[in-house]
Amino acid sequence: MARVTKNSANWRLFGGGGMLLGALLWLIALLVEGAGSGGELTSWLTIIGFLLLGVSGFFLAFGQTGSNGVVGGSVLGKIGFVAFGIGFLMLGLVPLLGVFGVSLPGELLTIGAVLLAIGGVVGAIVVYQKGVARGVARWFFFVPAVLALVWVATTLGWIAIGGTILVTIVAIAYAIAGLLFLLNRR
């Protein structure tokens, strides 16, 4: 079996870079909205950020070529990151289609949040087990995955955390995870 090299580990560039960029756009939208300057700019930044985070899930699962993702050959890991990607794509596509007059049920947002949280946890476990990612990147994805579970719990009303503090921390955690994946040496 051929070893993944820095030239073939495109999950780092496309998966980690996409996650970093998507999370930064989402974070900027949250900060602009928190400063009271919201509006269409924050909506578009959030939509684009969520879509980038969704696409990054697929690159983390499969890499650029379909075989060298951050989860190696693990089918369970690939399913986890695909669920993660679909979850963020749903969070981005529902409001995007709403801009064009297509109304989708609001439950799709909840389903998307649940998919990204559960897929993220499964992905984090497999990333740690497979050891494709090295150093801090190997275990750090647990942080945004667990925070996303808490975010889903607040979305479903199971726990109450007010304001945008939790969501901002989730966005920061995904940005750091993306940066760590991007800078990974393998």
Side-chain angles (χ1 to χ4, degrees):
M1 184 164 104
R3 202 164 156 92
V4 176
T5 67
K6 67 179 179 125
N7 296 326
S8 65
N10 291 324
W11 61 265
R12 293 180 306 111
L13 178 62
F14 298 111
M19 182 176 286
L20 174 61
L21 183 58
L24 285 176
L25 289 175
W26 182 22
L27 183 60
I28 291 168
L30 290 168
L31 294 174
V32 168
E33 184 178 330
S37 304
E40 278 198 40
L41 174 65
T42 59
S43 296
W44 281 106
L45 286 173
T46 304
I47 289 170
I48 294 168
F50 283 167
L51 294 177
L52 283 171
L53 282 162
V55 171
S56 76
F58 292 94
F59 281 115
L60 288 169
F62 300 107
Q64 181 184 13
T65 62
S67 63
N68 62 346
V70 71
V71 292
S74 170
V75 174
L76 180 62
K78 291 183 187 304
I79 291 171
F81 273 108
V82 165
F84 169 84
I86 290 172
F88 266 117
L89 286 176
M90 289 173 75
L91 291 181
L93 285 175
V94 169
L96 177 65
L97 293 174
V99 169
F100 297 111
V102 177
S103 179
L104 297 173
E107 291 80 22
L108 288 177
L109 295 174
T110 304
I111 293 169
V114 169
L115 279 173
L116 77 90
I118 293 173
V121 169
V122 169
I125 291 169
V126 176
V127 165
Y128 182 77
Q129 289 176 339
K130 290 308 247 181
V132 173
R134 298 291 187 166
V136 177
R138 181 175 178 190
W139 63 266
F140 187 82
F141 195 68
F142 279 108
V143 174
V146 170
L147 287 171
L149 282 175
V150 175
W151 179 35
V152 168
T154 61
T155 302
L156 295 174
W158 295 344
I159 59 174
I161 299 176
T164 60
I165 293 171
L166 175 63
V167 180
T168 304
I169 293 171
V170 172
I172 290 169
Y174 278 122
I176 292 170
L179 179 65
L180 291 172
F181 283 150
L182 180 65
L183 297 177
N184 204 273
R185 292 186 177 193
R186 185 167 179 188

